[in-house]
Amino acid sequence: MSRRRGPVDAAAELRRARIVAAVRAIPHGHVAGYGAIAHRAGYPRHARLVARILGEYEGAELPWHRVLRADGRIAFAEGSSGFREQCRRLRAEGVRVEAGRVRMPRAGDDVDAAVWGWDGAG
DNA sequence: ATTCTGACCGCAA
DNA sequence: GTTGCGGCCAGAA
């Protein structure tokens, strides 16, 4: 293949691998923000890259549904198939979703506190 | 190189 | 609570 094997591709693959690993590390029944995942993967300010990568893994074995926006809202447009699917999967593992959003501690102050923050259902 | 896009983020009003 | 806007950065055209 004529696929480039240079350092740029290598770096991109590493980013992808680290981000996927961070997503897989989210415990069952918990959620995390795009930015938090990026930060934890070692790439702060790469929230949009996380979103992009999740899209590539659509359907693959990856708990993509546990990734939400920083404010706890589902990133898909309300009513879209993606929105409904994510909502369904979250509820299936006991996460409380109200009006397309999950209660999350505020990101920004203490990143670590926000990373695996969950809805507090119980 | 330049331009456009996006499952985003933070802050201000 | 909401909306708007600038900032952010990798990928694709």
Side-chain angles (χ1 to χ4, degrees):
Chain A
M1 347 247 250
S2 48
R3 194 150 167 315
R4 202 132 169 275
R5 294 276 174 179
V8 176
D9 270 4
E13 287 181 32
L14 178 60
R15 280 194 294 272
R16 182 168 53 74
R18 289 182 63 88
I19 287 172
V20 166
V23 172
R24 288 208 166 108
I26 306 173
H28 182 282
H30 291 232
V31 297
Y34 291 89
I37 291 296
H39 188 277
R40 188 170 173 87
Y43 305 102
R45 295 183 288 298
H46 282 64
R48 307 190 91 144
L49 181 61
V50 174
R52 180 181 196 77
I53 289 170
L54 288 190
E56 295 175 358
Y57 278 70
E58 190 175 359
E61 190 175 330
L62 185 77
W64 57 268
H65 57 282
R66 296 180 191 146
V67 186
L68 308 169
R69 295 214 279 233
D71 60 4
R73 292 203 307 145
I74 287 175
F76 292 111
E78 189 169 352
S80 66
S81 62
F83 177 95
R84 288 193 305 259
E85 177 64 15
Q86 185 164 14
C87 211
R88 208 174 60 106
R89 291 194 182 209
L90 285 172
R91 284 173 171 154
E93 38 185 82
V95 177
R96 208 176 57 162
V97 184
E98 302 172 33
R101 111 171 9 172
V102 174
R103 284 295 189 82
M104 271 181 90
R106 248 155 264 184
D109 297 325
D110 185 352
V111 180
D112 273 347
V115 171
W116 309 131
W118 67 307
D119 65 310

